[in-house]
Amino acid sequence: MESNGNKPKMVSLFAGCGGLDLGFKQAGFNIIWANDFDTDAQAIHKLNLGDIDGRDIMTVSENDIPDCDILTAGFPCQPFSNAGKRKGVHDSRGMLYKECLRIIGKKMPKVFVFENVKGLLSTKYIDGRDLASVIKEDLSNINDIGYEVVYQLVNAADYGVPQNRQRVLFVGIRKDLNKVFRFPDKLSRDGLALKYILDIDESVPNQVHWPLSPQALEMIEYIPEGGSWKDVPYEHLAPRFKRIRDDMKRYHSPKFYRRFSREEIAGTITASAQPENCGIIHPTENRRFTIREVARIQTFPDDFIFNDDGLKNITAMYKVIGNAVPPRLANVIATEIMQQVFEEK
């Protein structure tokens, strides 16, 4: 192991509420500095993982950030998301990976890890090149040393997460270490269905949910376990859903209001927690999943706290959980990095 207190030192950019940080901490990394601009994410990170710098990363000098062995970054994904407007690099947030590049160029950690949505892989840079290729090239040549960079689209469900969540991961190892990261083999999906995670003892905190609108409640009464809005009788559809039903081909037959069954693995939990955007409806009860249920789907442990039960802003809790990297996915990747790079052979 490294000689600095036996644990490799980690800097976490765009840390969010700490899903990725928790996974890396569990794998033996020492988080010495974390940053996120979102105040809700900061509050949860502080509550569970400790201090976090809340400044806009664009205003943070490289000299304010400590030297580290590994740097992680889940830079904002909204510009690349299929669920959003897909502005990509034309959205100011879409260029925030350049801030990662600036800091890596100064610190030159042994390893870096980037996490982002699938849509990044189909995003073009301002000069027409694939953004993923630009990121790889930028890091491959930085400071005349560079990194051996690999990236891969992974499904969190292949690594122990009870959720079909596709994300792209970039892992770079500094070239003077003469190593290339190998992504871990896929794991069994046994035990990932919703029925295995929804039985929660009443003593576990954060079992509150955001009430659905009257319109949504009327619709979901007609959606069976495993169904969607397509099961709702036409006369009970909201007007905009009637327009979509009238022209399914035009709207690509979307699966709004998905109610996953207890035998299925959950779909992607999103920051909005809206039934139009993700399968947030409980399999058998006419409500959203609770904060704790979505936390479990994201593999946060039950002792990871999302404020107290008198939540002042429940939508913020759904947001930070939906934006997080599932800790179990982070832990699998972190464990591989620890074994491949930092542990003595």
Side-chain angles (χ1 to χ4, degrees):
M1 297 288 290
E2 298 287 291
S3 60
N4 60 11
N6 295 325
K7 291 185 177 182
K9 294 180 289 187
M10 174 175 149
V11 160
S12 175
L13 307 180
F14 308 102
C17 71
L20 189 145
D21 291 10
L22 177 61
F24 272 77
K25 181 179 179 180
Q26 292 169 335
F29 288 87
N30 179 23
I31 304 164
I32 59 171
W33 192 85
N35 170 269
D36 200 282
F37 187 57
D38 183 276
T39 55
D40 298 312
Q42 290 166 22
I44 303 307
H45 195 284
K46 287 177 182 176
L47 192 61
N48 294 277
L49 292 162
D51 239 0
I52 185 168
D53 188 310
R55 290 177 290 174
D56 182 339
I57 194 63
M58 297 178 72
T59 70
V60 178
S61 167
E62 302 96 315
N63 297 321
D64 291 349
I65 302 173
D67 293 337
C68 58
D69 300 301
I70 182 169
L71 181 145
T72 63
F75 50 90
C77 63
Q78 292 90 342
F80 316 118
S81 173
N82 292 324
K85 296 182 180 179
R86 292 295 303 274
K87 291 185 177 181
V89 294
H90 300 289
D91 183 318
S92 60
R93 297 170 298 177
M95 293 299 283
L96 283 172
Y97 95 88
K98 290 285 190 180
E99 297 302 309
C100 305
L101 195 66
R102 169 176 69 89
I103 295 163
I104 290 172
K106 178 71 173 181
K107 299 299 172 182
M108 292 302 292
K110 292 181 179 180
V111 183
F112 74 82
V113 179
F114 293 162
E115 181 266 355
N116 216 289
V117 291
K118 177 182 178 180
L120 183 146
L121 295 177
S122 56
T123 298
K124 298 295 184 182
Y125 191 57
I126 50 178
D127 61 5
R129 291 179 293 162
D130 292 336
L131 179 58
S133 299
V134 172
I135 292 173
K136 180 175 181 177
E137 184 177 331
D138 283 346
L139 275 303
S140 295
N141 302 311
I142 195 167
N143 284 0
D144 297 324
I145 300 176
Y147 290 82
E148 291 290 351
V149 182
V150 295
Y151 62 90
Q152 185 169 306
L153 183 68
V154 303
N155 188 336
D158 291 323
Y159 298 100
V161 178
Q163 176 186 177
N164 279 304
R165 185 183 187 92
Q166 289 189 309
R167 290 295 184 266
V168 60
L169 295 173
F170 290 76
V171 181
I173 302 176
R174 212 171 59 209
K175 286 182 178 178
D176 62 327
L177 298 178
N178 297 313
K179 298 175 185 285
V180 180
F181 181 70
R182 303 179 308 278
F183 278 90
D185 294 334
K186 295 178 181 180
L187 305 176
S188 168
R189 293 190 175 194
D190 291 345
L192 298 186
L194 279 168
K195 65 182 179 182
Y196 296 111
I197 62 173
L198 295 182
D199 183 17
I200 307 175
D201 188 90
E202 61 181 15
S203 65
V204 177
N206 301 136
Q207 296 193 60
V208 290
H209 64 88
W210 175 21
L212 291 160
S213 69
Q215 185 182 81
L217 278 172
E218 181 182 0
M219 287 177 58
I220 69 171
E221 287 180 4
Y222 296 95
I223 300 174
E225 184 174 355
S228 74
W229 74 288
K230 295 176 184 178
D231 296 296
V232 179
Y234 187 85
E235 62 271 21
H236 291 284
L237 288 172
R240 63 192 179 96
F241 288 100
K242 288 181 179 178
R243 289 195 294 272
I244 297 171
R245 179 72 65 82
D246 290 340
D247 195 353
M248 295 284 275
K249 183 180 289 187
R250 176 185 175 188
Y251 292 99
H252 307 291
S253 191
K255 286 191 175 180
F256 299 127
Y257 281 74
R258 184 77 161 84
R259 190 200 286 264
F260 287 94
S261 81
R262 287 164 289 183
E263 301 297 327
E264 292 181 279
I265 295 174
T268 303
I269 296 297
T270 69
S272 74
Q274 293 287 10
E276 295 97 318
N277 298 329
C278 65
I280 199 74
I281 304 170
H282 189 278
T284 59
E285 299 177 23
N286 291 335
R287 60 169 176 80
R288 280 184 177 90
F289 285 126
T290 66
I291 292 296
R292 184 53 56 189
E293 287 165 345
V294 293
R296 279 196 169 188
I297 292 169
Q298 279 280 61
T299 65
F300 282 97
D302 286 351
D303 61 358
F304 197 97
I305 306 302
F306 298 92
N307 210 324
D308 56 35
D309 277 333
L311 291 171
K312 294 178 181 178
N313 188 350
I314 193 169
T315 58
M317 301 303 105
Y318 284 100
K319 177 191 72 175
V320 298
I321 297 170
N323 279 334
V325 178
R328 193 170 297 163
L329 171 62
N331 181 258
V332 171
I333 299 302
T335 300
E336 284 293 325
I337 292 171
M338 183 69 83
Q339 293 173 350
Q340 294 183 33
V341 181
F342 293 100
E343 291 183 350
E344 295 180 2
K345 302 296 183 182

